[in-house]
C-alpha cells in the first residue's frame, strides 16, 4: 500500500510551498490519494519565471562541456533510480511496469545522454560572401527562458524531450506538468537538481488546472514577457490557444494525432494485425501516435479483422504492477468518458463491437477499459474525427488505394501514419501522399527513436516544430549571423 506524500514546487534552487493551499492526486490503479500537492498560482509561476530569467546569463555562459557533464550526470542518476521511478510511474499514470514504465525511464535517461553528446557537436557554418573580404558566420545561441508544459501520458519521457535539449542549448526552464502526474515531475526534477545544475536553471511549478479547467499557471508561462519560448505537448485545441496567447514567442508544439494504420491487400496480415494491436493498446491507447484508425483494403478486410481480434485477446488487462499485464487502467475519468462517448456514437451510426467496448468489472477503479475492437467504422463517426485516446482499434474499410489515402488524409491531424504492403512502389507512393510528419512502412504507428525528428506536418493541427535529438536543440536556439569584414584598416 502507498502512503500519501506531500510534494513541493522547485523555484530558484529551493523546494517550496504555495501560498494557496493544496490539491490531491489519486492513483488510477486503486483510487487512493497518493500526493498532496501545492496549488500553484500565477504568483508562483511569476516567481519561477523570475528565477529562470535571473539564471539565464549564467546558463548562456556555461561552457558546453560543463553542460554536457551535468546532463550525463542526470542520465546516470535516472538510471540508478530506474526501478523506483518506474514503479511510481505505474502507480501515478497507470502504465504496465515491466513493458512500458521501465522502458520509459530508460528512454528518459537516453534523452539526457543524447542532448549531452549533441551539444558538443553542434557546429555552425561559414558561408561564402559576395565580397571576398567578408566572412559570414552562422552559429546558435540560447533563447533564454523556455517554458515546458506537458501532458499526463508520458510523464517522464515528454518533459525530458524538452528539458534536456533546452539545458544543452544553454536555456533555463520553467516546467509545468499536467496536474495528473505531478509526482513523476517532482522525481524528474530531483534527478536534475541532484546532478548539480545551479539554482534557477530548472524550476517546477504545479497547477490544478486540469481538474478545474482554469489554467492560470500555464497561461502565465505562455504570456509572461520574460519567457522567450514555449514547448508544449497537449491537445490540438490547447496548442491553438497557446499559439494565440504566446504572440511572438518561439513555439514548439506537439499536439494530437489520428494516426491511420493502413493495411493494403498485399500485406503480411499477421504482421499488420500484431502491429495494429500494439499501436492501439499500448499505454491503454493513450498515445498521440496510436492507431486511432485502422484502414483496411476491402479484399483483405474479413481475414484481417479475424486476426486483429485474436491479437487483441492477448492483451491482458489488470493491475500494471502485476507480471504479465499488458494494459493498465486509463489515467483519468474525462479521458475514459470520451472513449464511452466515441463507442456510443459509433454504435448509433452502425459500427459493431467485436471485442470489449466497455469498462471492466471487478477492479478498484472504473478506469480499467477492456481492449476493444470496433469494425464497420465510417467517416461520419467520432472515431474518424477526434482522438479516442483509449484502448480501442476502430477498423474502417477502403476499396482502392486512392480511397484509402483520401480517408487517411481527411482529418485535421497529420502526425504519424503506418502502411503495410509488400510492394515497394506502393510504399513510396503512400509515404509521399500521406499528410503526416512521419510515415512508417511495415511498422506500428508507435515506432519512434529518440534521435529522429518527430512532429506534425505543416498546415494541419498536430503541432509545429520537431522534437527529437539535435532537432530540438536547433528549435531551442536562435540562429546568430555575424558578418565580418576582414580588412580592419582604412583603405
Ligand atoms: P492538454 O492539452 O489537456 O494538456 C497539456 C498540458 O497543457 C497540461 O500541462 C495542461 O495543464 C496544459 N494546459 C492546458 N490548457 C492550457 C492553457 N490554456 N495554457 C497553458 N497550458 C495549458 O492535454 P492532455 O490531456 O494532458 O494530453 C493529451 C493530449 O496530448 C492528446 O491530444 C495527445 O495526442 C497529445 N500528445 C501529443 C504528443 C505529441 O508528441 N504530438 C505526445 C503526447 C500527447
Amino acid at each position: 500500500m502507498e502512503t500519501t506524500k506531500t510534494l513541493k514546487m522547485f523555484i530558484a534552487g529551493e523546494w517550496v510551498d504555495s501560498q494557496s493551499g493544496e490539491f490531491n492526486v489519486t492513483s488510477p490503479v486503486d483510487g487512493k490519494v497518493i500526493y498532496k500537492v501545492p496549488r500553484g498560482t500565477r504568483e508562483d509561476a511569476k516567481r519561477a519565471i523570475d528565477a529562470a530569467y535571473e539564471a539565464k546569463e549564467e546558463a548562456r555562459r556555461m561552457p558546453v562541456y560543463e553542460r554536457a557533464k551535468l546532463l550525463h550526470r542526470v542520465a546516470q542518476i535516472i538510471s540508478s533510480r530506474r526501478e523506483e521511478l518506474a514503479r511510481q510511474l505505474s502507480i501515478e499514470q497507470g502504465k504496465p511496469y515491466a513493458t512500458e514504465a521501465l522502458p520509459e525511464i530508460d528512454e528518459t535517461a537516453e534523452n539526457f545522454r543524447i542532448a549531452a553528446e549533441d551539444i558538443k557537436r553542434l557546429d555552425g557554418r561559414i558561408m561564402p560572401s559576395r565580397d571576398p573580404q567578408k566572412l559570414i558566420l552562422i552559429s546558435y545561441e540560447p533563447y533564454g527562458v523556455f517554458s515546458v508544459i506537458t501532458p499526463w501520458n508520458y510523464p517522464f519521457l515528454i518533459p525530458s524531450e524538452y528539458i534536456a535539449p533546452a539545458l544543452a542549448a544553454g536555456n533555463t526552464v520553467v516546467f509545468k506538468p499536467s496536474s495528473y502526474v505531478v509526482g513523476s515531475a517532482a522525481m524528474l526534477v530531483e534527478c536534475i537538481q541532484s546532478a548539480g545544475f545551479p539554482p534557477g536553471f530548472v524550476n517546477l511549478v504545479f497547477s490544478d488546472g486540469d481538474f478545474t479547467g482554469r489554467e492560470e499557471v500555464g497561461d502565465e508561462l505562455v504570456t509572461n514577457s520574460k519567457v522567450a519560448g514555449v514547448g508544449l505537448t497537449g491537445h490540438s485545441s490547447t496548442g491553438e490557444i497557446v499559439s494565440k496567447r504566446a504572440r511572438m514567442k518561439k513555439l514548439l508544439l506537439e499536439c494530437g494525432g489520428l494516426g491511420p494504420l493502413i493495411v493494403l491487400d498485399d500485406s503480411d496480415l499477421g504482421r499488420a494485425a500484431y502491429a495494429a494491436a500494439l499501436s492501439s493498446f499500448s499505454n491503454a491507447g493513450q498515445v498521440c501516435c496510436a492507431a486511432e484508425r485502422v484502414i483496411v483494403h476491402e479484399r483483405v478486410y474479413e481475414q484481417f479483422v479475424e486476426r486483429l481480434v485474436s491479437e487483441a485477446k492477448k492483451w491482458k488487462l489488470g493491475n500494471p504492477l502485476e507480471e504479465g499485464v499488458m494494459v493498465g487502467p486509463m489515467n483519468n475519468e474525462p479521458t475514459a468518458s470520451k472513449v464511452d462517448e466515441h463507442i456510443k456514437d459509433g454504435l448509433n451510426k452502425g459500427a459493431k463491437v467485436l471485442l470489449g467496448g466497455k469498462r471492466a468489472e471487478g477492479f478498484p477503479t472504473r478506469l480499467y477499459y477492456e481492449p476493444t475492437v470496433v469494425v464497420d467504422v465510417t467517416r461520419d463517426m467520432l472515431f474518424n474525427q477526434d482522438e479516442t485516446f483509449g484502448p480501442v482499434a476502430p477498423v474502417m474499410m477502403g476499396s482502392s488505394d486512392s480511397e484509402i489515402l483520401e480517408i487517411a488524409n481527411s482529418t485535421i491531424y497529420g502526425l504519424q501514419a503506418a502502411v503495410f504492403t509488400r510492394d515497394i512502389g506502393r510504399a513510396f507512393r503512400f509515404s509521399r501522399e500521406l499528410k503526416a510528419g512521419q510515415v512508417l512502412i511495415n511498422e506500428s504507428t508507435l515506432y519512434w527513436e529518440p534521435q529522429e525528428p518527430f512532429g506534425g506536418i505543416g498546415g494541419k493541427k498536430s503541432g509545429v516544430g520537431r522534437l527529437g535529438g539535435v532537432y530540438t536543440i536547433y528549435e531551442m536556439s536562435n540562429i546568430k549571423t555575424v558578418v565580418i569584414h576582414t580588412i580592419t584598416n582604412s583603405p
Side-chain angles (χ1 to χ4, degrees):
M1 223 181 68
E2 304 302 317
T3 52
T4 306
K5 201 175 159 195
T6 300
L7 298 182
K8 287 184 187 288
M9 301 188 289
F10 189 66
I11 299 177
E14 306 281 339
W15 291 96
V16 296
D17 287 318
S18 169
Q19 307 303 316
S20 83
E22 290 176 336
F23 67 98
N24 291 341
V25 171
T26 55
S27 166
V29 177
D30 59 11
K32 301 213 170 98
V33 175
I34 44 175
Y35 294 115
K36 291 198 170 297
V37 189
R39 182 182 292 119
T41 59
R42 203 176 271 281
E43 286 313 309
D44 292 318
K46 283 183 187 157
R47 278 198 293 146
I49 293 166
D50 286 346
Y53 192 79
E54 264 184 38
K56 79 182 170 62
E57 285 309 306
E58 188 183 354
R60 184 166 79 88
R61 288 174 209 283
M62 181 183 270
V64 290
Y65 273 71
E66 179 65 15
R67 293 181 209 158
K69 192 178 80 189
L70 295 176
L71 290 164
H72 272 302
R73 210 179 280 156
V74 177
Q76 280 160 9
I77 294 167
I78 292 172
S79 297
S80 71
R81 296 179 63 182
R82 181 174 184 259
E83 285 81 10
E84 173 206 355
L85 301 181
R87 187 180 147 76
Q88 186 284 145
L89 171 57
S90 288
I91 291 167
E92 188 178 45
Q93 199 279 338
K95 64 185 64 188
Y97 173 79
T99 52
E100 299 202 41
L102 283 174
E104 178 168 342
I105 300 302
D106 293 341
E107 291 290 5
T108 302
E110 183 64 8
N111 277 335
F112 282 91
R113 271 184 222 110
I114 288 177
E117 290 307 307
D118 279 341
I119 196 61
K120 290 192 252 174
R121 298 180 182 87
L122 196 80
D123 45 2
R125 291 181 71 189
I126 299 180
M127 245 189 192
S129 163
R130 293 177 185 191
D131 174 354
Q133 292 175 332
K134 289 195 176 73
L135 284 175
I136 303 176
L137 310 184
I138 295 164
S139 62
Y140 299 97
E141 291 185 347
Y143 268 93
V145 178
F146 241 92
S147 291
V148 173
I149 303 177
T150 53
W152 46 263
N153 59 345
Y154 288 90
F156 280 89
L157 183 66
I158 291 176
S160 74
E161 289 176 332
Y162 293 102
I163 297 174
L167 293 171
N171 297 294
T172 55
V173 171
V174 183
F175 169 32
K176 190 210 82 68
S178 160
S179 318
Y180 294 104
V181 290
V182 283
S184 301
M187 286 176 119
L188 180 62
V189 171
E190 264 170 40
C191 295
I192 297 170
Q193 178 223 357
S194 44
F197 277 100
F201 275 45
V202 174
N203 304 275
L204 171 69
V205 275
F206 298 132
S207 141
D208 63 355
D210 293 316
F211 302 151
T212 61
R214 285 188 312 278
E215 193 40 75
E216 279 195 5
V217 171
D219 187 64
E220 187 62 32
L221 264 58
V222 170
T223 53
N224 190 300
S225 60
K226 290 181 179 167
V227 171
V230 179
L232 176 136
T233 296
H235 284 284
S236 296
S237 56
T238 308
E240 286 197 301
I241 295 169
V242 165
S243 314
K244 286 190 196 124
R245 300 283 294 156
R247 295 174 175 257
M248 298 282 271
K249 291 181 171 53
K250 168 71 186 183
L251 284 181
L252 182 48
L253 302 174
E254 299 292 331
C255 301
L258 212 59
L261 183 145
I262 294 169
V263 184
L264 297 179
D265 51 346
D266 63 349
S267 61
D268 177 330
L269 295 185
R271 189 181 169 87
Y274 169 82
L278 183 75
S279 308
S280 296
F281 306 138
S282 294
N283 203 17
Q286 303 162 121
V287 191
C288 56
C289 48
E292 293 274 356
R293 298 171 299 155
V294 182
I295 313 175
V296 185
H297 197 289
E298 66 178 1
R299 273 194 223 114
V300 291
Y301 188 81
E302 297 298 329
Q303 298 119 282
F304 173 81
V305 165
E306 204 175 295
R307 283 175 188 252
L308 176 59
V309 170
S310 85
E311 282 295 335
K313 286 180 179 161
K314 296 178 190 163
W315 284 74
K316 186 178 170 201
L317 176 70
N319 182 321
L321 295 170
E322 273 172 26
E323 217 182 306
V325 165
M326 294 161 80
V327 187
M330 297 192 62
N331 178 259
N332 56 70
E333 181 52 37
T335 310
S337 300
K338 194 175 175 198
V339 180
D340 291 338
E341 188 197 342
H342 280 208
I343 290 177
K344 193 169 160 212
D345 170 80
L347 291 175
N348 283 340
K349 294 174 180 162
K352 291 188 201 73
V353 169
L354 297 190
L355 188 74
K358 58 184 187 329
R359 303 186 192 218
E361 301 295 333
F363 288 101
T365 70
R366 297 278 298 133
L367 296 169
Y368 291 78
Y369 221 104
E370 292 181 8
T372 296
V373 177
V374 189
V375 296
D376 298 350
V377 170
T378 49
R379 293 184 208 204
D380 56 330
M381 296 177 189
L382 291 175
F383 288 125
N384 187 50
Q385 289 156 14
D386 187 15
E387 299 171 294
T388 304
F389 231 61
V392 183
V395 187
M396 306 176 77
M397 187 196 283
S399 58
S400 63
D401 287 13
S402 52
E403 192 195 15
I404 289 172
L405 265 172
E406 206 233 308
I407 299 170
N409 287 336
S410 66
T411 76
I412 59 166
Y413 298 105
L415 191 60
Q416 191 105 323
V419 185
F420 285 78
T421 175
R422 289 189 173 104
D423 179 333
I424 189 79
R426 270 173 129 182
F428 271 113
R429 184 163 160 259
F430 271 83
S431 57
R432 220 177 28 230
E433 300 299 326
L434 280 166
K435 302 275 180 274
Q438 178 164 272
V439 178
L440 291 307
I441 306 295
N442 297 321
E443 239 325 327
S444 89
T445 51
L446 301 189
Y447 192 81
W448 159 90
E449 295 192 20
Q451 77 281 12
E452 60 174 53
F454 179 90
I457 197 163
K460 293 220 165 197
K461 307 271 186 201
S462 287
V464 292
R466 288 291 178 273
L467 269 192
V470 75
Y471 292 90
T472 327
I473 294 183
Y474 288 128
E475 294 279 0
M476 294 183 154
S477 302
N478 274 308
I479 296 179
K480 172 68 71 71
T481 308
V482 178
V483 180
I484 302 179
H485 197 304
T486 54
I487 310 295
T488 51
N489 298 326
S490 312

